[in-house]
């Protein structure tokens, strides 16, 4: 029977021996920082009182670094389960980010981490050459006889992960409610605004970013537009497919489309779920998939500054929202796009007003 145990003093000697056997010494170097991994906190996977998996980590400045990860039985989910324990610990301690370093030869690790939601966040050329001066045991050649020269940094932003998981659950629970709701007249006016641009410029391909039940996408499709829908909620994607849309479970952090795939990206009240610390990265992702001279329609509730869980929300779990005042949001989008149109729309008494942008991809 397998179980995960936190490393304690009763395991420390055995862990140290395994580390030295697997890594040559207990010293591990990442970004010029020396770690002694036999002293670090971590977890082991046990089977019949034998260690078959090991992970160590280091927390500093509200960030958690995975320093080492080993599994002595392949393709059994051991590494994934150990990472899951470190994610739980990091979230419990309020860490904002989980990150790690691997080397350029370790193609297996590069695949492994990307499949588990980690993105490349840094490349440090020839850093292993410097590390070898501190730890001469580092070999010159690694997997497949590839020269070991560079460090690659991977990360998962934990705040964003929690928000995404909650949003997926919230919208899954409210699928029936969203299905029964009607498109308001002011939203139809915004769709018509974008359609005028598309007709004038003969643009056909549109990505609906956070398509919900696919009702707005249906309006575009009825006008002859080639629509692709994405949403973080599997139930919303199901509703989109029932309407005959091409639809995928996907979030705006990981847009897997090729560069310059779409004439237009449509986003009505979806990016208001993105933390302010991540909005710049999301806008650059959208710019990448837009064709030259492409249009990005961005609509957000706003008018004042707010970031956090909306405590009056009737969704379960309650959703995370971000609101901007006009000056703040215009400054943010202007870094990535040209502002073609900006206007505010009053959508109801005692409600935030709506900020409507037509943006153009900067060449």
């Amino acid at each position: 029977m397998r179980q995960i145990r936190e490393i304690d003093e009763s395991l420390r000697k055995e862990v140290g021996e395994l580390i030295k056997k697997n890594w040559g010494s207990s010293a591990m170097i990442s970004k010029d920082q020396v770690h002694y991994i036999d002293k670090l906190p971590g977890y082991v996977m046990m089977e019949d009182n034998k260690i078959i998996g090991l992970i160590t980590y280091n927390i500093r400045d509200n960030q958690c670094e995975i320093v080492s990860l080993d599994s002595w039985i392949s393709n059994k989910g051991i590494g994934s389960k150990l990472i899951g324990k470190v994610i739980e610990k990091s979230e419990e301690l309020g860490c904002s980010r989980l990150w790690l370093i691997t080397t350029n030869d370790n193609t297996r690790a590069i695949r492994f981490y990307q499949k588990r939601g980690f993105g490349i966040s840094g490349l440090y050329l020839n850093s292993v050459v410097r590390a070898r001066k501190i730890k001469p045991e580092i070999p010159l050649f690694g997997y497949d006889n590839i020269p070991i020269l560079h460090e690659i940094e991977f990360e998962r932003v934990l705040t964003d992960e929690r928000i995404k998981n909650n949003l997926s659950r919230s919208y899954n629970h409210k699928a029936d409610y969203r299905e029964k709701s009607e498109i308001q007249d002011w939203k139809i006016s915004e769709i018509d605004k974008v359609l005028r641009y598309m007709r004038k410029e003969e643009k056909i391909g549109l990505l609906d970013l956070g398509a919900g039940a696919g009702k707005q996408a249906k309006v575009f499709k009825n006008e002859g537009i080639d629509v692709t829908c994405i949403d973080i909620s599997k139930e919303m994607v199901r509703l989109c497919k029932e309407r005959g849309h091409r639809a995928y479970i996907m979030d705006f952090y990981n847009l897997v489309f090729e560069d310059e795939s779409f004439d237009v990206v449509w986003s009505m009240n979806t990016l208001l779920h993105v933390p302010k610390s991540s909005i710049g990265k999301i806008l650059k992702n959208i710019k990448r998939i837009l064709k030259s001279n492409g249009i990005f329609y961005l609509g957000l509730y706003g008018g004042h500054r707010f970031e956090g869980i909306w405590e009056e929300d009737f969704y379960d779990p309650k959703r995370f929202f971000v609101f901007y005042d006009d000056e703040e949001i215009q400054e943010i989008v202007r870094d990535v796009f040209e502002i073609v149109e900006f206007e505010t729309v009053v959508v109801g008494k005692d409600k935030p007003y709506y900020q409507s942008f037509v943006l153009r991809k900067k060449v």
Side-chain angles (χ1 to χ4, degrees):
M1 180 178 177
R2 292 177 183 170
Q3 61 173 328
I4 293 178
R5 286 181 56 187
E6 191 165 8
I7 297 173
D8 58 19
E9 289 309 309
S10 68
L11 291 167
R12 186 66 63 186
K13 182 179 178 181
E14 185 178 359
V15 166
E17 291 172 353
L18 281 170
I19 286 170
K20 288 177 183 177
K21 180 180 178 181
N22 202 57
W23 295 97
S25 82
S26 64
M28 179 75 73
I29 302 167
S30 62
K31 293 173 65 174
D32 299 322
Q33 170 90 24
V34 181
H35 301 280
Y36 292 95
I37 51 180
D38 58 339
K39 308 296 184 186
L40 292 176
Y43 297 92
V44 294
M45 176 75 79
M46 307 287 296
E47 184 175 59
D48 299 327
N49 294 317
K50 180 182 178 182
I51 295 175
I52 60 172
L54 165 68
I55 191 167
T56 63
Y57 63 89
N58 183 53
I59 293 177
R60 187 176 63 175
D61 298 331
N62 201 40
Q63 299 183 20
C64 180
E65 176 186 4
I66 295 175
V67 181
S68 70
L69 175 62
D70 294 289
S71 173
W72 288 278
I73 300 178
S74 300
N75 301 317
K76 297 297 181 182
I78 295 170
S80 297
K81 288 183 174 65
L82 290 170
I83 288 175
K85 290 297 292 184
V86 174
I87 290 174
E88 286 179 15
K89 175 62 73 172
S90 300
E91 292 182 335
E92 175 188 324
L93 297 175
C95 294
S96 62
R97 176 176 179 258
L98 181 66
W99 66 281
L100 62 101
I101 291 287
T102 191
T103 49
N104 61 284
D105 66 302
N106 198 348
T107 54
R108 182 181 176 188
I110 291 167
R111 290 195 305 271
F112 175 86
Y113 288 112
Q114 289 184 98
K115 287 174 66 177
R116 283 150 186 85
F118 288 78
I120 295 174
S121 55
L123 173 63
Y124 306 99
L125 298 177
N126 297 310
S127 58
V128 182
V129 177
R130 297 192 302 274
R132 206 172 271 118
K133 295 177 181 178
I134 303 171
K135 184 181 177 182
E137 299 94 332
I138 299 174
L140 293 173
F141 297 90
Y143 296 99
D144 299 318
N145 209 34
I146 297 171
I148 306 175
L149 296 170
H150 318 300
E151 291 179 320
I152 303 170
E153 181 178 319
F154 287 88
E155 71 170 6
R156 277 180 62 166
V157 180
L158 297 176
T159 302
D160 291 336
E161 290 299 317
R162 288 195 296 272
I163 291 169
K164 288 193 291 183
N165 289 337
N166 281 346
L167 285 173
S168 176
R169 291 163 55 205
S170 295
Y171 285 110
N172 283 340
H173 292 162
K174 285 292 184 180
D176 289 342
Y177 170 80
R178 305 283 290 201
E179 171 65 13
K180 294 173 184 175
S181 63
E182 298 295 328
I183 305 178
Q184 296 159 288
D185 290 342
W186 68 267
K187 293 182 179 180
I188 294 293
S189 297
E190 294 297 295
I191 293 172
D192 288 341
K193 180 197 297 184
V194 172
L195 282 170
R196 286 194 293 272
Y197 277 93
M198 296 188 74
R199 294 186 188 110
K200 182 179 180 181
E201 301 177 21
E202 298 182 341
K203 296 184 182 300
I204 298 299
L206 179 143
L207 174 66
D208 190 343
L209 199 70
K215 294 185 177 183
Q216 295 171 15
K218 190 70 172 179
V219 178
F220 282 109
K221 191 172 183 179
N222 289 343
E223 295 295 325
I225 304 302
D226 181 20
V227 180
T228 300
C229 298
I230 68 168
D231 202 280
I232 198 170
S233 160
K234 66 179 181 180
E235 288 300 309
M236 294 302 174
V237 169
R238 175 182 62 80
L239 293 172
C240 284
K241 289 182 176 180
E242 287 179 0
R243 284 192 161 79
H245 296 314
R246 180 170 57 247
Y248 305 97
I249 301 171
M250 193 185 304
D251 62 65
F252 11 82
Y253 294 81
N254 301 289
L255 298 173
V256 301
F257 305 107
E258 294 182 359
D259 292 359
E260 300 193 353
S261 291
F262 299 98
D263 297 309
V264 175
V265 173
W266 166 269
S267 173
M268 176 174 273
N269 283 330
T270 55
L271 298 194
L272 46 62
H273 295 310
V274 176
K276 292 185 179 182
S277 61
S278 299
I279 190 66
K281 177 169 62 177
I282 301 303
L283 292 175
K284 289 175 183 176
N285 281 347
I286 293 167
K287 178 182 178 181
R288 178 186 64 79
I289 62 172
L290 268 176
K291 293 181 180 178
S292 179
N293 206 39
I295 291 171
F296 174 36
Y297 172 86
L298 172 63
L300 302 164
Y301 290 131
H304 64 278
R305 299 190 182 196
F306 171 81
E307 182 171 19
I309 299 296
W310 183 23
E311 294 299 336
E312 297 178 6
D313 194 12
F314 63 95
Y315 281 53
D316 180 29
K318 298 180 188 296
R319 293 166 294 172
F320 175 93
F321 282 90
V322 173
F323 299 143
Y324 304 88
D325 63 30
D326 295 345
E327 181 179 353
E328 183 183 19
I329 188 59
Q330 288 183 71
E331 182 179 349
I332 289 169
V333 299
R334 197 178 284 115
D335 282 344
V336 185
F337 293 96
E338 173 193 350
I339 298 176
V340 179
E341 285 189 37
F342 172 74
E343 63 178 333
T344 60
V345 180
V346 177
V347 298
K349 186 179 179 181
D350 300 325
K351 291 184 178 180
Y353 62 68
Y354 182 79
Q355 297 159 323
S356 171
F357 287 92
V358 176
L359 305 168
R360 184 80 69 178
K361 180 176 179 175
K362 287 184 178 178
V363 179

